[in-house]
Amino acid sequence: EDQVTQSPEALRLQEGESSSLNCSYTVSGLRGLFWYRQDPGKGPEFLFTLYSAGEEKEKERLKATLTKKESFLHITAPKPEDSATYLCAVQGNTGGFKTIFGAGTRLFVKA
Amino acid sequence: EAGVAQSPRYKIIEKRQSVAFWCNPISGHATLYWYQQILGQGPKLLIQFQNNGVVDDSQLPKDRFSAERLKGVDSTLKIQPAKLEDSAVYLCASSLDHFRTDNSPLHFGNGTRLTVT
């Protein structure tokens, strides 16, 4: 069964303090690994799609990387506006290509 | 491009009552999803439509939940009768075409927050 585990559950950083969020996954035939950002009271907002091990994507202070078993979301010099819940999801090639989400990492960045 | 529209934003009902949620996906998106997100958890897929056909409803509690997508556009999700454990945010999402090789990401609405008392 496809599964996604994210760590840590919560992360508190000072502004400018770089760190990484982890997403470990098991999936039958990876079609894509997705990162989303979710603000309170809003739906998840798409950030990145990664398709194969070794791939990297960047957007402003965020960089996502992918291996065969996990993905990392690196946050460089975060700002308070980066505070949100970051969700990881995978889509496998079985069972109607369902997209399965992890529980998320809540990030708090203090000025 | 207009986003995914959902209504209502909030709903409070008593247990054993019924409730319905509405979703209008992004124009041209063939695939529509309903997810349930309980506080502190990630979204859990309830049902997935491709145009107006059901692709996956394996996690839908069919004794109380039902969903339809008329004419392959708008969709409604209904709960009857509601239980306390149904309190959650119900998210609708859409994507261009789920089964294309270069599949597109999901685009979410802001959800309906349901409280069952």
Side-chain angles (χ1 to χ4, degrees):
Chain A
E1 183 176 314
D2 298 349
Q3 193 167 359
V4 178
T5 303
Q6 292 188 246
S7 62
E9 289 185 10
L11 181 62
R12 297 181 184 276
L13 300 174
Q14 287 292 126
E15 184 173 5
E17 180 187 1
S18 301
S19 188
S20 295
L21 283 54
N22 177 264
C23 171
S24 297
Y25 66 92
T26 55
V27 65
S28 299
L30 180 70
R31 294 186 86 224
L33 183 140
F34 307 89
W35 282 99
Y36 289 83
R37 168 187 172 133
Q38 187 172 28
D39 292 299
K42 299 285 185 67
E45 177 187 351
F46 170 71
L47 293 173
F48 303 109
T49 306
L50 301 168
Y51 293 102
S52 58
E55 190 174 1
E56 299 181 352
K57 293 267 179 81
E58 286 189 67
K59 180 179 180 180
E60 296 180 1
R61 295 177 291 282
L62 301 176
K63 178 180 177 181
T65 62
L66 181 64
T67 72
K68 289 186 177 179
K69 293 183 178 181
E70 56 192 351
S71 176
F72 292 93
L73 185 65
H74 307 277
I75 303 176
T76 302
K79 298 181 177 181
E81 54 261 42
D82 294 322
S83 297
T85 296
Y86 291 86
L87 295 166
C88 174
V90 295
Q91 187 182 98
N93 62 10
T94 61
F97 304 160
K98 284 190 291 192
T99 300
I100 306 298
F101 282 81
T105 293
R106 287 174 294 161
L107 175 66
F108 304 93
V109 182
K110 187 176 179 182
Chain B
E1 174 182 84
V4 176
Q6 290 190 247
S7 66
R9 286 284 283 131
Y10 306 93
K11 192 73 178 178
I12 301 174
I13 62 172
E14 295 181 352
K15 58 183 178 183
R16 291 187 291 275
Q17 287 187 324
S18 63
V19 64
F21 313 126
W22 173 82
C23 172
N24 181 239
I26 293 172
S27 178
H29 279 196
T31 316
L32 185 146
Y33 318 75
W34 283 101
Y35 280 84
Q36 179 192 60
Q37 187 173 27
I38 293 173
L39 187 64
Q41 299 182 18
K44 170 190 165 186
L45 181 67
L46 293 175
I47 189 167
Q48 177 180 317
F49 293 92
Q50 181 74 2
N51 297 308
N52 60 353
V54 175
V55 173
D56 188 296
D57 63 357
S58 58
Q59 303 257 56
L60 188 73
K62 298 180 186 65
D63 57 335
R64 300 184 300 106
F65 285 64
S66 64
E68 61 180 4
R69 189 181 185 193
L70 298 175
K71 300 181 181 178
V73 182
D74 292 7
S75 178
T76 55
L77 176 69
K78 296 179 182 178
I79 306 175
Q80 181 180 13
K83 292 185 175 181
L84 295 176
E85 58 260 36
D86 297 332
S87 294
V89 175
Y90 290 84
L91 294 163
C92 179
S94 67
S95 65
L96 270 173
D97 188 323
H98 188 67
F99 293 98
R100 288 176 57 188
T101 302
D102 55 341
N103 69 85
S104 62
L106 277 61
H107 298 265
F108 285 86
N110 285 328
T112 296
R113 180 176 297 277
L114 174 68
T115 302
V116 182
T117 62

